[in-house]
Amino acid sequence: MYYLTPISTEVYFNEEGLPSGSEWGVNISGYNNMTLYGNSTEISQILDYGNYHIRPIYPLRTFYAPEFNLSVNYQGISVLIQFKPYDYILYVSETGLPSGTLWYLNFTEDNSSNKIYYHSYKTSQNVMLQNGTYNYSISSSLRCWISFDEDGKISIYGNDSTLNIPFLRAYKVSFNLIFPAKNQTWYLNISLDRSHFFNITGNQTRSEEYLPNGTFNYSAATANKKYHSNGGNFTVMGKNITVNVTYLPYYYVLSIFRENGIYVGKWGVFINNSNVFYN
């Protein structure tokens, strides 16, 4: 009996541009998924023939090299990875969090799947970025602290830049959702003003959201458009609260029926087998 063995070869990754003795690495995804690190200018690994995606890594994040695809289909492949210094510094600072709180900072460049992750226990963090436009998200390890600026976009073009993130103490708002019928998928829109709003959805009769102090307006409806809430407002003021949201059926004027020819008496129409009379 014969067994087919995948053809493999040793692939040599050579770096250029890093300070001597720097630790660096490559993340390899494809038929085999692995991450390799080294302190010399060369890292090697035996790989099966196939297609791979290579992500260069420099742990100190002051140098970068672009990701690339690699086809392994012949023997003795050597790949040169050229690291370059990041261009500019984004000075990120937070205010409001209790001292020593862990917070997270994630960046994704527009039109790219590349993600940059940071976390810090300090009030400030320096982020090394190339020129470009980035979507960012920021969060705290404490759910009871939120930021209205937790998601946003920032552009880096030719200069260092700053990003200030204020965190606010938040309190639990429990929503009791009351429906005429069971198993409804619902939407709840909550707004503090035109710039700050929250959209939540679900199919349970209870939901929780953490919100800062303030007076919030809300509106609500179901996905099937059969039920809605008249809406209203509630105020958060230094403590957890409960808000009851009652959903009511929508009522529509379908048609107006007029008769011609009956002098006296009642007449009617059938709608869904119900006799509806009009004088």
Side-chain angles (χ1 to χ4, degrees):
M1 182 177 293
Y2 296 92
Y3 296 91
L4 295 177
T5 302
I7 300 177
S8 60
T9 185
E10 190 159 15
V11 178
Y12 300 88
F13 299 96
N14 295 280
E15 70 85 10
E16 181 180 273
L18 292 179
S20 178
S22 296
E23 183 184 41
W24 65 286
V26 288
N27 175 263
I28 303 171
S29 59
Y31 293 105
N32 300 320
N33 297 314
M34 65 191 74
T35 301
L36 311 174
Y37 285 95
N39 295 91
S40 65
T41 58
E42 183 180 276
I43 299 173
S44 65
Q45 177 65 36
I46 296 176
L47 297 176
D48 295 335
Y49 276 28
N51 296 317
Y52 297 85
H53 185 76
I54 310 300
R55 181 171 62 89
I57 301 169
Y58 184 59
L60 296 181
R61 297 182 178 178
T62 52
F63 287 78
Y64 73 95
E67 300 180 17
F68 60 93
N69 295 318
L70 175 66
S71 293
V72 177
N73 51 21
Y74 60 92
Q75 295 291 305
I77 295 177
S78 181
V79 180
L80 178 63
I81 298 176
Q82 293 179 307
F83 284 89
K84 296 180 180 179
Y86 277 100
D87 293 327
Y88 302 102
I89 302 174
L90 176 64
Y91 299 97
V92 184
S93 61
E94 67 81 14
T95 56
L97 287 178
S99 178
T101 299
L102 176 63
W103 56 288
Y104 307 92
L105 179 60
N106 303 323
F107 288 91
T108 304
E109 189 172 7
D110 269 2
N111 304 317
S112 171
S113 60
N114 294 342
K115 296 182 182 295
I116 303 171
Y117 300 99
Y118 286 87
H119 67 272
S120 179
Y121 290 94
K122 300 178 180 180
T123 58
S124 62
Q125 174 72 58
N126 294 343
V127 179
M128 312 299 294
L129 295 174
Q130 305 169 49
N131 283 334
T133 300
Y134 298 84
N135 297 298
Y136 67 82
S137 62
I138 293 176
S139 60
S140 163
S141 59
L142 299 177
R143 192 178 178 187
C144 57
W145 290 84
I146 66 170
S147 175
F148 282 132
D149 300 318
E150 61 184 7
D151 297 297
K153 183 175 295 230
I154 190 167
S155 296
I156 305 295
Y157 286 112
N159 291 290
D160 295 342
S161 188
T162 60
L163 177 62
N164 299 313
I165 306 296
F167 281 90
L168 300 173
R169 177 71 166 90
Y171 301 90
K172 183 170 69 174
V173 180
S174 301
F175 294 96
N176 290 326
L177 308 165
I178 304 167
F179 297 95
K182 295 181 179 179
N183 302 321
Q184 298 295 316
T185 298
W186 49 264
Y187 299 92
L188 189 61
N189 303 315
I190 307 165
S191 61
L192 178 61
D193 52 43
R194 292 184 178 181
S195 302
H196 302 119
F197 53 87
F198 306 83
N199 298 311
I200 57 177
T201 185
N203 54 20
Q204 305 297 315
T205 58
R206 187 175 176 85
S207 180
E208 295 178 351
E209 189 76 18
Y210 281 81
L211 299 174
N213 287 333
T215 297
F216 296 82
N217 298 308
Y218 71 89
S219 60
T222 56
N224 58 17
K225 298 183 179 180
K226 289 184 177 181
Y227 305 100
H228 75 290
S229 170
N230 290 330
N233 60 70
F234 59 88
T235 299
V236 180
M237 191 60 66
K239 63 179 181 179
N240 301 336
I241 64 170
T242 298
V243 178
N244 294 320
V245 181
T246 301
Y247 285 76
L248 302 171
Y250 275 111
Y251 290 100
Y252 302 94
V253 177
L254 299 179
S255 298
I256 298 176
F257 299 94
R258 292 185 174 89
E259 65 82 18
N260 186 16
I262 298 178
Y263 181 70
V264 175
K266 293 183 177 181
W267 64 280
V269 294
F270 282 94
I271 300 176
N272 287 340
N273 295 321
S274 295
N275 200 1
V276 180
F277 289 102
Y278 296 82
N279 289 322

